[in-house]
């Protein structure tokens, strides 16, 4: 009788084909996770990159849908002003990059306060503020001019000296600001300065959600790469806005920032044309006393640009149905305060 051949000895686990297939699958999954770590390809929701130099402030209790639904429909105008304060650094501020930043000259700091005081805003959004000490310095100068802002937020990020900030006469009831949002579609990258996201409440119970950004500048050896980065930052912001507006559909929102792009450029057009219908934004069109719209003058190229922008969402647009009040502060001090001009609008 023929005997069956002896059973082969089992192969060691490290030589088995299925083991290598499993390990290959794990490696591929990890690479995909690293590649798409900024935004989940399934939910399209932003994730937080694993980086934060400074711990965030103690979290405020989240606003409930009822609080949003029950806010008054209208009220007196609440003036909002946005200004790129052009390197508003002060002595003693914590260094967050390898660069040595000189304090902003006294006359220029005074001019910044004078420009803001001319508009008498209730809420101020700032770009290129050095940090907490610089913000306190500006608050002191505004108090000297009769304007008190007891509520403030500043958003800093390691490696970047120019921060975003908010000053408000009204209490802050929600702060979702983060400096470490993963950049849309790019491995291991983050927005340069994050997203300032603060909600304030007026005395009559109205809520205004204020978002601020400062996109990549045009000062770069590779202008195409800088433009690509601005577009990705704008895409990150657009995803974030759509996500947040779906969670608070009735919340009036104003978005401010230095886009470093003109209205016809793709990073700006994305905010108006690239959003879903229910989350569409409208760009405000502030003008100065001569009817001019530029916010930045480049001496080197003798060019005028509109790089600073204000956007409002649909709930805010409905509140502005009586007419859009907006403008540009063009008093003489504006030339000393910053290379940007302050823009403002009245919220309702």
């Amino acid at each position: 009788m023929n005997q069956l051949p002896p059973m082969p000895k089992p192969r060691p686990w490290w030589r088995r084909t299925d083991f290598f297939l499993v390990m290959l699958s794990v490696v591929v999954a990890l690479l995909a996770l690293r590649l798409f770590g900024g935004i989940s390809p399934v939910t399209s929701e932003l994730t937080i990159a694993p980086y934060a130099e400074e711990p965030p402030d103690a979290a405020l209790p989240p606003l409930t849908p009822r609080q949003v639904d029950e806010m008054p429909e209208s009220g007196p105008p609440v003036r909002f002003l946005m200004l790129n304060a052009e390197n508003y650094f002060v002595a003693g501020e914590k260094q967050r990059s390898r660069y040595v930043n000189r304090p902003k000259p006294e006359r220029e700091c005074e001019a910044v306060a004078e420009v803001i005081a001319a508009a008498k805003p209730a809420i101020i959004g700032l770009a290129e503020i050095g940090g907490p000490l610089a913000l306190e310095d500006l608050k002191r100068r505004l108090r000297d001019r009769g304007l008190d802002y007891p509520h403030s937020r500043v958003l800093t990020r390691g490696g970047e000296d120019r921060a975003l900030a908010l000053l408000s006469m009204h209490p802050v009831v929600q702060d979702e600001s983060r400096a470490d949002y993963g950049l849309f579609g790019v491995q291991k990258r983050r927005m340069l300065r994050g997203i300032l996201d603060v909600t304030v409440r007026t005395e009559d119970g109205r809520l205004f959600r204020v978002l601020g950004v400062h996109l990549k500048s045009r000062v770069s050896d590779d202008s195409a790469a800088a433009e690509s980065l601005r577009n990705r930052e704008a895409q990150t912001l657009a995803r974030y806005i759509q996500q947040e507006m779906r969670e608070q559909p009735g919340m009036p929102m104003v978005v401010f920032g230095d886009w470093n792009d003109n209205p016809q450029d793709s990073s700006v057009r994305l905010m108006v044309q690239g959003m879903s219908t229910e989350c569409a934004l409208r760009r405000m069109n502030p003008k100065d006393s001569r009817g001019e719209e530029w916010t930045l003058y480049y001496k080197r190229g003798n060019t005028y640009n509109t790089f600073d922008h204000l956007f409002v969402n649909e709930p805010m647009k409905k509140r502005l149905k009586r007419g859009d009040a907006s403008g540009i502060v063009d008093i003489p001090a504006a030339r000393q305060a910053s290379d940007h001009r302050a823009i403002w609008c009245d919220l309702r």
Side-chain angles (χ1 to χ4, degrees):
M1 178 181 296
N2 294 330
Q3 294 182 344
L4 294 174
M7 292 289 291
K9 295 182 180 181
R11 300 180 69 184
W13 62 270
W14 61 86
R15 297 180 59 188
R16 291 175 59 180
T17 301
D18 54 348
F19 169 77
F20 285 103
L21 289 175
V22 170
M23 293 301 298
L24 180 60
S25 299
V26 171
V27 171
V28 171
L30 289 174
L31 289 174
L33 181 62
R34 289 166 66 89
L35 181 61
F36 299 104
I39 298 181
S40 167
V42 177
T43 63
S44 297
E45 293 182 352
L46 289 170
T47 57
I48 304 301
Y51 174 89
E53 182 197 47
E54 299 174 0
D57 294 338
L60 294 167
L63 293 171
T64 65
R66 182 175 179 179
Q67 288 175 290
V68 177
D69 294 340
E70 293 182 350
M71 79 175 92
E73 286 294 329
S74 61
V78 176
R79 180 153 296 182
F80 174 82
L81 177 140
M82 178 258 169
L83 173 63
N84 179 318
E86 192 189 10
N87 300 326
Y88 198 118
F89 301 121
V90 298
E93 195 78 74
K94 179 181 179 181
Q95 286 289 125
R96 296 187 295 273
S97 77
R98 66 180 184 274
Y99 301 103
V100 177
N101 298 304
R102 291 179 295 180
K104 192 174 180 70
E106 176 71 16
R107 66 181 183 279
E108 294 181 13
C109 292
E110 283 290 294
V112 168
E114 188 172 342
V115 165
I116 294 173
K120 295 181 173 58
I123 308 171
I124 306 167
L126 295 165
E128 288 199 20
I129 191 80
L133 293 184
L135 195 60
E136 287 299 320
D137 180 88
L138 179 56
K139 288 169 66 176
R140 174 182 58 79
R141 297 176 192 274
L142 291 170
R143 280 195 299 269
D144 292 343
R145 289 165 171 80
L147 297 174
D148 188 24
Y149 297 92
H151 311 284
S152 62
R153 290 292 188 276
V154 62
L155 180 65
T156 61
R157 177 185 179 277
E160 175 55 55
D161 292 313
R162 296 163 181 83
L164 293 162
L166 177 133
L167 293 174
S168 176
M169 295 181 178
H170 305 290
V172 172
V173 295
Q174 180 175 274
D175 185 359
E176 300 293 332
S177 306
R178 295 297 298 262
D180 51 359
Y181 283 108
L183 188 63
F184 174 75
V186 181
Q187 183 181 8
K188 290 185 178 180
R189 295 293 298 274
R190 295 173 291 273
M191 291 189 71
L192 292 177
R193 303 173 183 96
I195 301 174
L196 181 78
D197 181 359
V198 174
T199 302
V200 300
R201 190 201 309 273
T202 61
E203 292 180 357
D204 59 10
R206 283 177 295 162
L207 299 168
F208 297 115
R209 192 164 183 176
V210 182
L211 271 65
V213 294
H214 184 184
L215 305 190
K216 174 68 177 75
S217 76
R218 295 195 172 202
V219 180
S220 174
D221 295 331
D222 189 340
S223 60
E227 180 182 2
S228 176
L229 180 53
R230 286 194 300 276
N231 286 332
R232 291 188 181 278
E233 289 185 310
Q235 288 175 304
T236 305
L237 176 63
R239 287 282 185 97
Y240 179 79
I241 290 173
Q242 293 183 128
Q243 174 181 312
E244 295 301 308
M245 285 182 60
R246 292 188 181 108
E247 294 182 3
Q248 292 183 335
M251 175 68 78
M253 178 185 291
V254 58
V255 183
F256 77 90
D258 177 359
W259 255 253
N260 279 300
D261 272 333
N262 286 296
Q264 70 273 16
D265 294 318
S266 56
S267 70
V268 180
R269 289 189 289 108
L270 172 69
M271 309 312 300
V272 178
Q273 302 173 5
M275 306 283 277
S276 59
T277 302
E278 71 276 14
C279 301
L281 298 178
R282 173 187 172 188
R283 194 182 77 87
M284 305 290 285
N285 194 27
K287 297 179 175 64
D288 65 15
S289 59
R290 297 176 299 278
E292 298 176 355
E293 303 174 14
W294 62 273
T295 65
L296 173 68
Y297 172 65
Y298 269 140
K299 291 183 180 178
R300 182 181 302 177
N302 192 29
T303 58
Y304 293 86
N305 299 277
T306 304
F307 283 177
D308 305 274
H309 303 282
L310 296 174
F311 302 88
V312 294
N313 67 348
E314 186 63 31
M316 185 71 81
K317 284 191 290 184
K318 292 179 179 179
R319 290 169 175 267
L320 300 178
K321 57 187 176 183
R322 300 177 183 175
D324 300 342
S326 62
I328 297 176
V329 182
D330 59 354
I331 63 174
R335 293 191 295 270
Q336 277 194 335
S338 172
D339 52 352
H340 292 249
R341 299 200 292 178
I343 57 179
W344 60 266
C345 67
D346 285 341
L347 312 176
R348 291 186 177 274

